[in-house]
Amino acid sequence: MFTTMNLPLHASLPLSSRSWCCYASLSVPQPQAEPQLLNGNPPARPLDRKEIRLGLPSKGRMSADTLELLKVNPRQYVAEIPQLSNLEVWFQRPKDIVRKLLSGDLDLGIVGLDTVSEHGQCNEDLIIVHEALEYGDCRLSLAIPQYGIFENVNSVEELAKMPQWTEDKPLRVATGFSYLGPKFMKESGLKHVTFSTADGALEAAPAMGIADAILDLVSSGTTLRENNLKEIKGGVVLESQAVLIASRKSMIQRKGVLETTHEMLERLEAHLRAIGQFTVTANMRGSSAEEVAERILSQPSLAGLQGPTVSPVFCKRDGKVTSDYYAIVICVPKKALYKSIQQLRAIGGSGVLISPLTYIFDEETPRWRQLLSKLGL
Ligand SMILES: Nc1ncnc2c1ncn2[C@@H]1O[C@H](COP(=O)(O)OP(=O)(O)OP(=O)(O)O)[C@@H](O)[C@H]1O
Ligand SMILES: O=P(O)(O)OC[C@H]1O[C@H](OP(=O)(O)OP(=O)(O)O)[C@H](O)[C@@H]1O
Ligand SMILES: [Mg+2]
């Protein structure tokens, strides 16, 4: 399902964050009737649908990185993947992805862990298949003003001990996380708390006098700083990043969902493993493959994933086939690239070629075993 491996998701429609659905099985663009809207949602399909549905964030923070990870270009038709030919991609708001997984209208989805935890509310039907897709990093964190009565308050414990909060005058927290917020406060021993919900610009609530604290997502911390707010010790409710989720019911009951989940998991893992690495090939003069390998392994940055591949380069000299040169292939972490080139040169490497890696398939992923065991299979 990744164009980087020439196995991109295939769609019959131009993928745009405004189109709802891309069918993964048709190769020729089809004229589509305008979808009808029911309360802002496309009409439900019959329950006995055959297609497998993957929900991806339609807009916002997660959208671009998800499209990048899956190599779905919103302005492009994507090619067919025979293996995932029964997969439809639906663009939805993150919280709607979770809701539609629970209602059975989606089978798989990618969202932030914060969204699954808030809107999934520990529902047993939601299974996290891959918990670390390495983007969308943020934390759900409690923040209070840097000024006034909060100036010397630096932890949840100190906040809880403030005499200001009583039954009649509780701590007012503005948040969009109305499930996780109260749960966290209860667990943290903060007794006198009320919550107000808001959808955006939460950071302004304390300065406006609408709330005393906020509970919101933080990544760089810039928004908090700009609004004279601070995080406090013990105030992180959840560390979040993008995750692949699936419906237990779908995986067990719907034909092909478990296989598709397995394949997505394999590809995602292999891709995530690969994006940090380069393939390095070089030529090296030597008397034997073993002697060349020994020279390479004497360098700390040239060990590769499982040691170097060393192959003789044959040429004909005076009518005889000889191999004075060897071609070597290693994988090198992107961060160590320049150091590796220096080390290669130091041991006589020349003609160094660097190529990006798309996938590294290792042994069967432990996440697959974990998934099967969660499903009781
Ligand atoms: N500052 C941030 N840095 C990194 N990731 C973030 C940040 N804020 C949010 N995210 C991640 O991106 C996800 C989507 O956030 P985004 O703001 O795009 O949507 P949203 O506010 O939930 O959308 P909507 O209001 O339409 O429901 C969040 O659930 C979280 O996982
Ligand atoms: O720590 P920072 O890097 O400053 O990021 C934090 C901000 O990012 C999120 O909002 P977003 O920009 O997604 O806008 P939204 O309120 O429209 O969702 C979050 O609600 C904060 O406002
Ligand atoms: Mg946001």
Side-chain angles (χ1 to χ4, degrees):
M1 58 182 296
F2 310 101
T3 42
T4 40
M5 203 196 171
N6 298 323
L7 283 167
L9 277 176
H10 158 79
S12 66
L13 295 170
L15 295 186
S16 88
S17 48
R18 286 168 162 254
S19 39
W20 286 304
C21 170
C22 311
Y23 292 87
S25 56
L26 305 171
S27 53
V28 181
Q30 303 285 319
Q32 294 286 313
E34 274 296 306
Q36 290 170 339
L37 282 182
L38 287 177
N39 299 326
N41 292 319
R45 294 267 185 120
L47 285 173
D48 59 353
R49 67 183 161 85
K50 297 276 185 306
E51 313 79 21
I52 298 166
R53 291 181 178 168
L54 167 69
L56 299 182
S58 55
K59 62 169 192 67
R61 298 247 179 196
M62 301 278 298
S63 169
D65 286 343
T66 304
L67 296 179
E68 170 63 26
L69 175 70
L70 301 182
K71 287 288 175 238
V72 180
N73 186 331
R75 275 173 305 235
Q76 225 180 37
Y77 293 99
V78 247
E80 189 170 8
I81 320 169
Q83 302 95 317
L84 297 179
S85 61
N86 201 23
L87 191 75
E88 289 177 355
V89 178
W90 288 79
F91 291 108
Q92 299 278 303
R93 291 192 310 173
K95 57 183 151 201
D96 289 336
I97 293 177
V98 176
R99 288 178 185 147
K100 289 193 165 81
L101 276 158
L102 290 173
S103 65
D105 293 312
L106 288 173
D107 305 306
L108 289 151
I110 291 184
V111 290
L113 180 64
D114 56 293
T115 311
V116 194
S117 312
E118 173 64 25
H119 299 282
Q121 305 192 352
C122 302
N123 190 305
E124 290 207 333
D125 190 49
L126 280 182
I127 295 193
I128 296 179
V129 179
H130 196 303
E131 76 299 342
L133 297 179
E134 297 180 16
Y135 67 95
D137 294 317
C138 58
R139 53 192 178 275
L140 180 61
S141 193
L142 188 65
I144 55 174
Q146 294 167 355
Y147 48 84
I149 56 168
F150 297 100
E151 198 174 343
N152 297 314
V153 176
N154 292 305
S155 67
V156 172
E157 212 182 339
E158 288 166 7
L159 182 66
K161 281 190 188 142
M162 287 174 75
Q164 279 85 350
W165 323 126
T166 62
E167 210 169 318
D168 295 337
K169 201 176 168 300
L171 174 80
R172 297 163 306 158
V173 181
T175 187
F177 291 82
S178 52
Y179 170 73
L180 292 176
K183 192 164 169 273
F184 174 75
M185 291 302 192
K186 216 168 155 193
E187 286 161 9
S188 309
L190 263 146
K191 283 202 197 80
H192 305 302
V193 190
T194 56
F195 289 88
S196 59
T197 53
D199 265 349
L202 283 179
E203 292 81 5
M208 290 176 80
I210 301 169
D212 303 302
I214 66 164
L215 182 68
D216 196 12
L217 298 172
V218 180
S219 68
S220 66
T222 311
T223 311
L224 290 184
R225 271 194 302 281
E226 281 173 354
N227 287 280
N228 297 316
L229 298 170
K230 63 182 176 188
E231 292 182 87
I232 51 177
K233 197 164 162 249
V236 176
V237 179
L238 180 94
E239 297 278 357
S240 180
Q241 61 177 296
V243 297
L244 171 67
I245 47 177
S247 148
R248 175 192 297 270
K249 268 195 220 109
S250 289
M251 283 186 289
I252 292 177
Q253 293 171 4
R254 201 180 285 286
K255 192 167 168 277
V257 174
L258 190 59
E259 290 76 7
T260 300
T261 308
H262 188 193
E263 187 166 343
M264 275 197 74
L265 178 61
E266 286 268 26
R267 286 170 190 246
L268 284 168
E269 282 214 359
H271 182 61
L272 291 171
R273 213 175 279 130
I275 48 184
Q277 307 263 342
F278 280 128
T279 306
V280 175
T281 57
N283 285 335
M284 202 172 284
R285 196 181 265 282
S287 54
S288 69
E290 286 75 12
E291 183 265 325
V292 169
E294 237 165 72
R295 258 190 289 155
I296 296 166
L297 291 171
S298 70
Q299 301 295 320
S301 295
L302 302 180
L305 287 178
Q306 280 162 341
T309 304
V310 181
S311 342
V313 177
F314 294 103
C315 56
K316 208 166 183 182
R317 191 170 303 138
D318 303 331
K320 267 178 69 184
V321 174
T322 59
S323 62
D324 299 336
Y325 273 95
Y326 290 81
I328 64 152
V329 182
I330 47 173
C331 285
V332 165
K334 282 185 177 166
K335 281 184 197 148
L337 180 64
Y338 190 60
K339 206 187 290 165
S340 310
I341 292 172
Q342 286 173 316
Q343 291 178 11
L344 262 176
R345 282 186 181 144
I347 56 170
S350 61
V352 182
L353 303 179
I354 313 294
S355 341
L357 266 161
T358 309
Y359 288 88
I360 299 175
F361 284 97
D362 218 328
E363 282 164 17
E364 180 71 87
T365 156
R367 287 187 178 96
W368 172 240
R369 286 194 198 299
Q370 284 158 15
L371 176 62
L372 291 179
S373 104
K374 281 181 200 164
L375 294 174
L377 298 172

